[in-house]
Amino acid sequence: MKTFMPLALLAATLTVGGQAQAQDATAEVPAYQDPLLKLDIDERENRYQFERSSLRALNVHDPLEGINRRIYRFNARFDRYVYLPVVRTYVWATPEPVRTGVSNVFDNLRDIPNLGNSLLQGKFHLSAQTTARLLFNSIFGLAGIFDVAEGMGLPQQDEDFGQTLGVWGVPPGPYVVIPFLGPSSLRDGTGRAVDWVFEDYVNFMENRDFMNNYQATWGLWAIDLRYGIPFRYGALDSPFEYDQVRYLHTKLREFEISR
């Protein structure tokens, strides 16, 4: 995962694309709580007025808020009833060294768009570092199963095309919540699609050909994607979770572009 300032630490768990070290199989998973289900505001007693006034400071351009909130709630239910049960089964059935190796392989492939975007942003030092990671992990790490570059002082540098557009001065546009994927913006959602096409075009080590020939690997990719993200819907235990997540995600992206 990326390293960022304390204000954005909570949002670190949201980056689906993304990429945190997975939780141990014995780790507790917070119980799901729908933050909006039991919200009952009594206007006469001015309940939640402090929270509401505080949220004015968290204002984010969100003209699609009604649709976004519905997608957010859909994502939360999908996560609770489908995604997390599958991930728990994966953790139960797969030894940790195997899970680590799977994550390392997919991380190695993600260095392809990382390299391209570092070059486009003029971060040539990071480009050289990512190139070295690709070479060391692909050759000595056996196609990325082992992250030997990390031990050599070459941590992964996450750069995406949404960040590249931001560096070029493209504004984020309206906030959007993408089905299954979560918080984003018009700029970052477009950037995600460009990264996907670029990775498909490069087809590093013929990985896309392999995954298309063996469709089950796409399922493994999706499981590993969620396995590496510790965020849990309802963990904030607040009726204003949507607003808080929206604000933190937006500030995180601003930081990632400015660094």
Side-chain angles (χ1 to χ4, degrees), residues 184-204:
S184 188
S185 67
L186 180 60
R187 179 195 64 203
D188 294 342
T190 302
R192 185 189 295 269
V194 171
D195 284 334
W196 183 266
V197 171
F198 179 69
E199 190 174 342
D200 189 64
Y201 176 77
V202 174
N203 195 24
F204 182 60

Side-chain angles (χ1 to χ4, degrees), residues 5-239:
M5 59 186 177
L7 174 65
L9 285 178
L10 177 61
T13 61
L14 295 169
T15 313
V16 212
Q19 304 134 346
Q21 189 66 352
Q23 296 176 328
D24 187 79
T26 60
E28 292 277 337
V29 177
Y32 172 82
Q33 300 178 47
D34 187 332
L36 302 175
L37 186 62
K38 297 181 179 180
L39 178 59
D40 181 18
I41 298 177
D42 186 346
E43 296 291 346
R44 292 171 299 177
E45 297 179 6
N46 292 321
R47 296 176 60 192
Y48 299 112
Q49 293 308 304
F50 174 76
E51 290 86 348
R52 281 178 162 176
S53 62
S54 299
L55 286 173
R56 294 192 187 102
L58 309 185
N59 187 39
V60 172
H61 182 48
D62 189 4
L64 303 174
E65 183 171 353
I67 297 174
N68 284 335
R69 284 185 179 272
R70 290 181 177 87
I71 296 175
Y72 187 88
R73 180 170 288 190
F74 165 79
N75 287 349
R77 282 170 167 73
F78 176 80
D79 200 59
R80 177 188 182 187
Y81 294 113
V82 180
Y83 222 164
L84 286 181
V86 171
V87 171
R88 292 191 190 99
T89 302
Y90 172 68
V91 171
W92 171 81
T94 311
E96 183 176 2
V98 174
R99 299 196 304 271
T100 300
V102 169
S103 296
N104 286 343
V105 168
F106 289 124
D107 282 344
N108 190 50
L109 298 176
R110 276 193 286 269
D111 270 335
I112 295 300
N114 289 342
L115 173 58
N117 285 295
S118 293
L119 289 170
L120 289 173
Q121 294 173 36
K123 299 177 179 178
F124 301 116
H125 174 71
L126 295 184
S127 302
Q129 182 171 318
T130 301
T131 300
R133 276 185 55 85
L134 274 168
L135 290 175
F136 289 137
N137 286 341
S138 299
I139 298 173
F140 302 111
L142 304 180
I145 295 175
F146 303 101
D147 189 355
V148 297
E150 181 80 28
M152 300 171 66
L154 296 170
Q156 189 169 51
Q157 304 294 331
D158 296 303
E159 304 290 341
D160 57 71
F161 195 68
Q163 289 173 243
T164 299
L165 291 174
V167 170
W168 290 348
V170 178
Y175 177 80
V176 297
V177 180
I178 302 175
F180 305 110
L181 298 180
S184 188
S185 67
L186 180 60
R187 179 195 64 203
D188 294 342
T190 302
R192 185 189 295 269
V194 171
D195 284 334
W196 183 266
V197 171
F198 179 69
E199 190 174 342
D200 189 64
Y201 176 77
V202 174
N203 195 24
F204 182 60
M205 296 191 301
E206 299 183 346
N207 72 91
R208 286 299 172 90
D209 290 341
F210 179 84
M211 294 178 73
N212 289 332
N213 290 333
Y214 299 93
Q215 295 291 324
T217 56
W218 286 109
L220 183 61
W221 171 82
I223 293 171
D224 176 74
L225 187 66
R226 186 64 181 97
Y227 169 67
I229 302 175
F231 174 76
R232 297 293 181 266
Y233 287 94
L236 293 180
D237 195 23
S238 166

